[in-house]
Amino acid sequence: MEFLEVFSSANAWFALLTLTFLEIVLGIDNIVFISIVSNKIPQQNQRKARNTGLFLAMLFRIALLFGIQWVVSLNQPLFYINQTWFHGYVTGQSIIIFLGGLFLLYKSVSEIHHKIEGEEQTDISAGKTSIWGAVFQIAILNLVFSFDSILTAVGLVSFKEFGDEGALAIMMLAVVFSIIIMMLFAGPVSKFVNEHPTIQILGLSFLILIGVMLLAESSHLGHFSLFGQEVGVIPKGYLYFAIFFSLMVEFINMKMRKRPKSSS
């Protein structure tokens, strides 16, 4: 199929809508991280930092789409680890995801520590450096999330059915649409998260879970075994259910706190 003719098929539109929805779901953890990082810079620059970070995410994913063969090749073993109690192999993709998980754990735990200890971030000024410092942190994590996003897209869209150009067009449009939607909602989500300290802690806790998930996923990609037991991947469905369930409980608590206390 040609680049534009592919959209004459109902299956192509269904694949586009499904993939866009999945991209948005996978971007929830990205929005939470962006909300927390952008809160560290002056308010007048927060929107610029959020949009720049999401725009970089879109560029990362489109660039990776054009290099799908290179992304797939990152699953090839670089070297093997063979110990009596620990064995597996390391791939380029597992290294990137592992480093991303470590970065997310470090950032989340340090932020929780600062909030519990009452420490203020005094090293961020209102200058240009602080904006690009936040954008740089967002870009680092976006690179990790982009690999997950692209592998999901490749697994969902059939190159055999739509052709190389058609499948690429569907995946690119899904990325663009999902990023635009996230740009529209990142502002309200950031405002809500930053106005409620309990939601901030909950969001940081989610990021810790996602960091652990990335570490497990990187180990699973290399088929690492510990004492004869292969490291399994944490299903994302379980993780997102835990996130939404926790949010629902917190929303009920917020509603209860707003109710006036009855005089006894």
Side-chain angles (χ1 to χ4, degrees):
M1 292 185 182
E2 296 295 333
F3 185 79
L4 295 177
E5 288 180 355
V6 67
F7 292 103
S8 61
S9 167
N11 289 337
W13 287 102
F14 178 76
L16 176 61
L17 292 175
T18 304
L19 184 55
T20 301
F21 174 75
L22 288 176
E23 291 285 345
I24 294 172
V25 172
L26 291 172
I28 291 175
D29 41 17
N30 204 352
I31 292 179
V32 173
F33 181 78
I34 290 173
S35 301
I36 293 171
V37 171
S38 62
N39 187 44
K40 299 299 179 181
I41 61 178
Q43 187 174 1
Q44 65 271 19
N45 295 325
Q46 291 180 8
R47 182 178 179 182
K48 180 180 179 181
R50 288 193 302 265
N51 289 342
T52 303
L54 287 170
F55 182 74
L56 286 175
M58 184 176 69
L59 292 182
F60 282 147
R61 294 175 189 187
I62 291 176
L64 290 174
L65 282 174
F66 282 105
I68 287 178
Q69 291 183 344
W70 175 75
V71 173
V72 174
S73 70
L74 290 176
N75 280 329
Q76 301 301 317
L78 297 176
F79 58 89
Y80 290 83
I81 300 175
N82 290 305
Q83 301 293 331
T84 55
W85 57 276
F86 182 70
H87 61 87
Y89 58 85
V90 176
T91 66
Q93 191 179 121
S94 65
I95 291 175
I96 293 173
I97 294 177
F98 183 80
L99 293 177
L102 285 181
F103 172 75
L104 204 55
L105 284 175
Y106 165 76
K107 188 66 180 176
S108 305
V109 172
S110 62
E111 287 293 329
I112 291 177
H113 172 76
H114 290 317
K115 292 183 182 300
I116 292 177
E117 296 296 326
E119 299 175 7
E120 297 294 333
Q121 296 287 342
T122 58
D123 58 333
I124 296 180
S125 62
K128 186 177 179 181
T129 304
S130 62
I131 301 175
W132 294 109
V135 170
F136 178 73
Q137 294 183 58
I138 294 170
I140 290 177
L141 204 62
N142 274 331
L143 181 61
V144 178
F145 288 147
S146 293
F147 277 91
D148 194 18
S149 169
I150 296 309
L151 292 175
T152 300
V154 172
L156 182 66
V157 180
S158 172
F159 283 84
K160 183 177 180 180
E161 179 181 359
F162 303 114
D164 291 347
E165 291 186 356
L168 190 62
I170 292 172
M171 290 186 285
M172 286 178 60
L173 285 176
V175 167
V176 172
F177 289 158
S178 62
I179 292 296
I180 290 175
I181 292 173
M182 283 191 283
M183 282 183 177
L184 294 175
F185 285 94
V189 170
S190 297
K191 182 179 179 182
F192 178 79
V193 169
N194 295 324
E195 286 180 352
H196 297 83
T198 55
I199 295 294
Q200 286 188 34
I201 297 298
L202 198 58
L204 289 168
S205 302
F206 295 158
L207 294 179
I208 292 177
L209 286 177
I210 295 167
V212 172
M213 181 197 71
L214 291 176
L215 295 182
E217 184 176 345
S218 67
S219 301
H220 181 72
L221 288 172
H223 296 281
F224 278 99
S225 293
L226 185 63
F227 297 108
Q229 183 69 37
E230 184 171 338
V231 179
V233 66
I234 301 175
K236 292 183 176 65
Y238 293 167
L239 185 63
Y240 290 134
F241 173 78
I243 290 174
F244 285 118
F245 181 78
S246 301
L247 284 174
M248 289 301 299
V249 172
E250 181 57 29
F251 288 150
I252 294 174
N253 286 333
M254 291 170 61
K255 191 72 175 178
M256 294 292 292
R257 287 194 294 266
K258 289 181 179 179
R259 291 178 56 182
K261 295 181 179 180
S262 56
S263 58
S264 57

